[in-house]
Amino acid sequence: RLYYFRNGGSEESLIGSADCMKRNLLWRVEVLAPVEEPELRAQLRHVLDTQIGDERSAWEMQPDGSYRQRSPQRGRRARGTHEALLALGGRYAELY
């Protein structure tokens, strides 16, 4: 899991072993660790921005509690998060 905070304008990135659900917090030990390396933080931020910007696969909760799937603007092909992250993974693999 990726956690991102802006504490008074100071960005913090943390990675964790699981999501904060009751079953995970009551019966297991869950760990969060800060990510301090600037390059890794930038990569994590890019992943988060990719997920937030998804115009094909994401769903938005409406004020009444229902969900509506996002769709790209007319005439524009938008990649979903999975497609974008697969492409990104290929670029990172070339770096390392």
Side-chain angles (χ1 to χ4, degrees), residues 27-71:
W27 298 294
R28 297 191 249 187
V29 174
E30 297 300 336
V31 177
L32 291 176
V35 178
E36 297 176 352
E37 176 67 36
E39 183 178 334
L40 295 176
R41 287 173 56 168
Q43 289 177 10
L44 290 175
R45 180 59 196 255
H46 184 75
V47 168
L48 183 60
D49 289 341
T50 299
Q51 292 176 326
I52 291 171
D54 187 327
E55 292 182 343
R56 193 183 87 204
S57 305
W59 292 74
E60 292 181 344
M61 186 179 355
Q62 304 302 298
D64 66 358
S66 65
Y67 286 87
R68 180 178 51 88
Q69 188 171 15
R70 287 185 187 170
S71 59

